[in-house]
């Protein structure tokens, strides 16, 4: 099991550019989520998904889009990058009931460090 | 509105000492309280978790103490080791509800000095 994988590990963007952060898991988890981590701010939820075809907004969704076409993949899109989106992004997954909330441990990927200049 | 408040922001402990990190929550609907450990350059990983039906849970050197009436819970690391140096996050969620997303505290950076 690779667990939760994220690509790329590092990325530098210019303001206004777009990009997609990739996340994949091989644990057949229904629930997946994206967080951003900023110094002194903890982990803040951006978007989450309780199953393929179902996504919803978290605490800080502005400037980000997600989609969930398969159970395994949950990409995060930045449509027009801004310096305020400089952060470390983590994807996580968890067991859950069918289209239900996460149950127990969330497994985190290694993160993507994004810098927007 | 911050729903989970964590303190201290940073903590320095001598090897062999006890590390204590505290968290307070506001939402009485929370029913799952995990602690995550994060090493530099890595993603957070679950360390230990507790449900409100017990007041304490111990796993090795790590103990969660839970006070439902005060809406507080804490992590105690006994016999702290340099390898415990990491950032610790408390979190809370309503697993009995329809959403269940984790709400994280802001983190505590622990340094254990040899």
């Amino acid at each position: 099991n690779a667990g939760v994988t994220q690509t790329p590990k590092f990325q530098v963007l210019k303001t206004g550019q777009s990009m997609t952060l990739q996340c994949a898991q091989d644990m057949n988890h229904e629930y997946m989520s994206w967080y951003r981590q900023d110094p002194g701010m903890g982990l803040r939820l951006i978007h989450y998904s309780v199953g393929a075809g179902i996504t919803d907004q978290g605490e800080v969704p502005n400037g980000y889009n997600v989609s969930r076409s398969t159970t395994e993949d949950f990409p995060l899109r930045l449509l027009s990058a801004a310096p305020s989106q400089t952060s470390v992004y983590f994807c996580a997954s968890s067991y859950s009931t069918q289209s239900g909330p996460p149950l127990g441990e969330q497994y985190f990927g290694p993160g993507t460090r994004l810098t927007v200049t | 509105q911050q729903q989970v408040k964590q303190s201290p922001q940073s903590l320095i402990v001598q090897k062999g000492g006890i590390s204590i990190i505290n968290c307070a929550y506001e939402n009485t609907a929370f029913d799952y309280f995990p602690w995550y450990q994060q090493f530099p350059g890595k993603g957070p990983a679950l360390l230990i978790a507790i449900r409100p039906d017990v007041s304490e849970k111990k796993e090795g050197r790590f103990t969660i103490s839970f006070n439902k009436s005060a809406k507080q819970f804490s992590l105690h690391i006994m016999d702290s080791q340099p390898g415990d140096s990491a950032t610790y996050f408390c979190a809370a969620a309503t697993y009995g509800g329809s959403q269940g997303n984790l709400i994280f505290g802001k983190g505590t950076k622990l340094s254990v000095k040899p």
Side-chain angles (χ1 to χ4, degrees), chain A residues 33-56:
Chain A
S33 55
W34 277 101
Y35 295 86
R36 61 177 289 174
Q37 183 176 20
D38 303 291
M41 297 296 291
L43 292 144
R44 293 182 292 169
L45 183 66
I46 304 171
H47 285 284
Y48 66 98
S49 169
V50 296
I54 306 170
T55 64
D56 206 345

Side-chain angles (χ1 to χ4, degrees), chain B residues 37-98:
Chain B
Q37 180 187 54
Q38 184 182 30
F39 293 106
K42 305 292 185 183
L46 180 66
L47 182 64
I48 186 172
I50 197 168
R51 301 296 295 267
D53 51 343
V54 295
S55 60
E56 186 176 281
K57 182 174 182 179
K58 184 176 181 179
E59 291 185 1
R61 296 184 294 109
F62 301 91
T63 300
I64 297 179
S65 296
F66 182 78
N67 186 329
K68 188 174 181 178
S69 61
K71 293 187 286 185
Q72 294 176 345
F73 58 110
S74 60
L75 176 69
H76 295 235
I77 306 174
M78 311 300 289
D79 187 26
S80 299
Q81 299 297 312
D84 297 330
S85 297
T87 299
Y88 293 82
F89 294 95
C90 63
T94 309
Y95 274 13
S98 61

Side-chain angles (χ1 to χ4, degrees), chain A residues 31 35 37 40-43 45 48 57 90 94 100-106 108-110, chain B residues 9 32 36 38 41-46 89 95 97-102 104-107:
Chain A
Y31 179 89
Y35 295 86
Q37 183 176 20
M41 297 296 291
L43 292 144
L45 183 66
Y48 66 98
Q57 297 181 350
F90 290 100
S94 175
L103 299 172
E105 180 173 2
Q106 289 204 31
F108 283 81
Chain B
Q9 202 169 0
Y32 175 67
Y36 280 78
Q38 184 182 30
K42 305 292 185 183
L46 180 66
F89 294 95
Y95 274 13
S98 61
Q99 191 184 58
N101 295 316
L102 284 174
F104 283 90
K106 293 188 176 183

Side-chain angles (χ1 to χ4, degrees), chain A residues 3-10 21-25 33-35 88-92 107-113, chain B residues 43-44:
Chain A
V4 179
T5 58
Q6 292 183 239
T7 56
K9 284 187 172 22
F10 302 94
L21 280 63
Q22 301 292 344
C23 174
Q25 52 91 9
S33 55
W34 277 101
Y35 295 86
V88 181
Y89 291 86
F90 290 100
C91 178
Y107 295 82
F108 283 81
T112 294
R113 184 174 294 274

